[in-house]
Amino acid sequence: MNENSHSFHEKELRDGQVGSVSAGCAPPPDKDGSAVLAFRGVSISELKNHSVLQALTAEANGWEPGVVSTEVLQAQEEWEAVDSIHLETGSRASMDQPGQLISFSEALQHFQTVDLSSFKKRIQPTIRRTGLAALRHCLFGPPKLHQGLREERDLVLTIAQCGLDSQDPMHGRVLQTIYKKLTGSKFDCALHGDHWEDLGFQGTNPATDLRGAGFLALLHLLYLVMDSKTLLMAREILRLSRHHIQQFPFCLMSVNITRIAIQALREECLSRECNRQQKVIPVVNSFYAATFLRLAHVWRTQHKTISDSGFVLKDLEASAKKSPKRLLKTLEIYLAGVSKGQASLLGTQKCSGPQAPHSKDLTFTGVCDLSSHSSEGTWLI
């Protein structure tokens, strides 16, 4: 092929075949390799429409990922951490960028440094008991929380009084982190939208579902997704929540678990463990995770559905407050198994099927909706 002929073919490919590639048509084969030129100038977003690439990926359409190992999740965390390295050391990089993940400790530090006095006035640290209930609790109830831990307990209850403020950059980063970790997305999402219903909120605005738990509900979700071992657990529960028969609103269920943790703290059910560890927040976090794990186990093994939600939560609350130490031990054993790659909440159960309905289409009964509450001010924080 002479030089003029080659130039003619090259021009023809640029002018004609690039257009066909953009439209999703494959260029004809070229023994000279000149067909490669057809891809020059084609944007990456258009390449996915190319018939050759479609053929290569056709077999993967039905593939579903299995349980991801802790090593893979840890590697993802290390890679994501690279994004937070700022090359411009001379300028102050904003820590409130919406695209930057936030850790649990950083979010907690935010609440430890801001003025929460107006919210702290609303809390009632312990349950008020009178008559025989007070006597019984004094004689047979759990020990009181050590004096040095009461400020930490009050901080937990105060955070539960704080709502979600979409104008606060830190609040936005918490939401973005939860979304990215649960979905595996690398991109930011809107703070309001249908994608929150996909994760199990009942509406497009997560703030409307935090009743009785406040921002503590989001901190608990953040705690769950920012550790590689509990992230595996969270993603498995999320898969279970999307089961075509046993579906439930994942995030709304998590809010209800946070409410149970708040109530257990106020009723001093966690005081013995807090006194032993000389910490409150880690104990409350672990109790939340252990209770969520227990709920998922009961839900899967007893084949519960959304119509059972209120009764499941009521029984779960009673058993969790009665035996918190046993519950925490179960979580410890499960996480040890995750570290060894031996624990799987769902096992071989297949949670796929017809698309589960949005959370707003499910009739969900939470702990606040049950009529048979005790007379001790159960959900007053």
Side-chain angles (χ1 to χ4, degrees):
M1 181 180 294
N2 59 38
E3 185 175 346
N4 293 335
S5 176
H6 189 279
S7 299
F8 173 78
H9 280 290
E10 184 175 343
K11 183 179 186 300
E12 183 180 24
L13 283 168
R14 284 198 303 266
D15 296 341
Q17 293 180 4
V18 170
S20 64
V21 170
S22 300
C25 302
D30 191 337
K31 294 181 180 179
D32 292 330
S34 302
V36 177
L37 295 172
F39 294 99
R40 291 185 178 176
V42 182
S43 64
I44 293 176
S45 61
E46 291 176 344
L47 285 176
K48 65 182 180 181
N49 296 322
H50 196 271
S51 59
V52 175
L53 297 182
Q54 289 175 347
L56 289 174
T57 58
E59 296 180 357
N61 287 340
W63 179 78
E64 291 184 3
V67 177
V68 183
S69 68
T70 53
E71 289 82 1
V72 173
L73 288 172
Q74 288 171 353
Q76 286 179 343
E77 290 175 0
E78 291 174 2
W79 177 254
E80 289 166 356
V82 176
D83 294 338
S84 63
I85 298 176
H86 300 280
L87 299 178
E88 298 179 11
T89 54
S91 61
R92 181 183 180 276
S94 172
M95 294 302 293
D96 293 329
Q97 291 178 341
Q100 188 178 21
L101 299 183
I102 186 171
S103 66
F104 176 85
S105 59
E106 185 182 351
L108 178 63
Q109 186 178 21
H110 171 83
F111 285 101
Q112 291 172 329
T113 55
V114 298
D115 181 15
L116 300 176
S117 55
S118 60
F119 297 103
K120 191 173 182 179
K121 293 176 182 178
R122 306 177 191 173
I123 71 170
Q124 184 182 323
T126 56
I127 294 292
R128 293 195 186 106
R129 297 178 175 86
T130 58
L132 289 176
L135 180 61
R136 184 172 62 250
H137 182 76
C138 181
L139 295 175
F140 307 109
K144 290 187 176 297
L145 189 68
H146 291 168
Q147 183 69 36
L149 298 175
R150 293 179 185 177
E151 184 177 349
E152 189 177 353
R153 173 203 61 192
D154 291 351
L155 175 62
V156 172
L157 299 177
T158 301
I159 295 173
Q161 289 288 342
C162 300
L164 171 62
D165 181 3
S166 59
Q167 302 302 314
D168 188 322
M170 188 280 295
H171 289 209
R173 288 177 62 202
V174 169
L175 278 179
Q176 296 285 0
T177 301
I178 292 170
Y179 178 82
K180 289 179 179 179
K181 284 291 188 177
L182 285 176
T183 64
S185 173
K186 299 293 183 181
F187 303 100
D188 285 354
C189 64
L191 299 184
H192 298 163
D194 293 343
H195 48 281
W196 294 113
E197 293 175 358
D198 294 336
L199 287 184
F201 284 104
Q202 284 193 309
T204 59
N205 181 6
T208 60
D209 286 333
L210 304 182
R211 180 169 60 96
F215 203 86
L216 183 64
L218 295 180
L219 280 189
H220 275 166
L221 275 172
L222 183 66
Y223 160 77
L224 207 63
V225 303
M226 286 306 287
D227 180 271
S228 57
K229 291 179 290 187
T230 51
L231 175 58
L232 276 174
M233 183 183 88
R235 287 179 173 173
E236 285 201 291
I237 298 175
L238 180 61
R239 285 175 57 210
L240 175 62
S241 76
R242 291 172 170 173
H243 190 278
H244 62 289
I245 295 175
Q246 294 184 267
Q247 72 269 5
F248 60 85
F250 173 83
C251 286
L252 192 60
M253 188 70 83
S254 174
V255 172
N256 277 269
I257 301 299
T258 295
R259 291 172 183 161
I260 292 175
I262 292 170
Q263 196 64 11
L265 181 63
R266 292 183 63 241
E267 292 183 18
E268 301 176 289
C269 301
L270 304 181
S271 294
R272 190 185 306 277
E273 190 63 24
C274 290
N275 291 342
R276 187 183 72 82
Q277 295 190 26
Q278 285 298 298
K279 298 174 182 178
V280 174
I281 292 175
V283 172
V284 174
N285 288 347
S286 296
F287 180 81
Y288 155 81
T291 306
F292 210 169
L293 177 65
R294 175 61 184 169
L295 176 134
H297 175 75
V298 169
W299 199 272
R300 181 182 70 85
T301 58
Q302 298 182 17
H303 308 289
K304 300 299 183 181
T305 64
I306 194 66
S307 61
D308 304 313
S309 58
F311 302 103
V312 171
L313 284 167
K314 183 182 177 182
D315 292 343
L316 181 68
E317 179 187 357
S319 63
K321 291 192 295 188
K322 182 179 180 180
S323 305
K325 184 176 180 180
R326 181 183 303 173
L327 202 65
L328 292 171
K329 185 64 177 179
T330 301
L331 176 68
E332 182 182 337
I333 294 171
Y334 172 83
L335 294 180
V338 169
S339 298
K340 298 175 183 178
Q342 298 172 348
S344 177
L345 179 64
L346 302 183
T348 57
Q349 178 182 9
K350 187 177 178 64
C351 290
S352 62
Q355 182 64 38
H358 277 304
S359 301
K360 65 181 179 182
D361 299 323
L362 299 175
T363 304
F364 179 82
T365 304
V367 285
C368 287
D369 301 315
L370 294 173
S371 57
S372 55
H373 284 324
S374 68
S375 60
E376 297 181 348
T378 308
W379 292 114
L380 175 64
I381 298 175

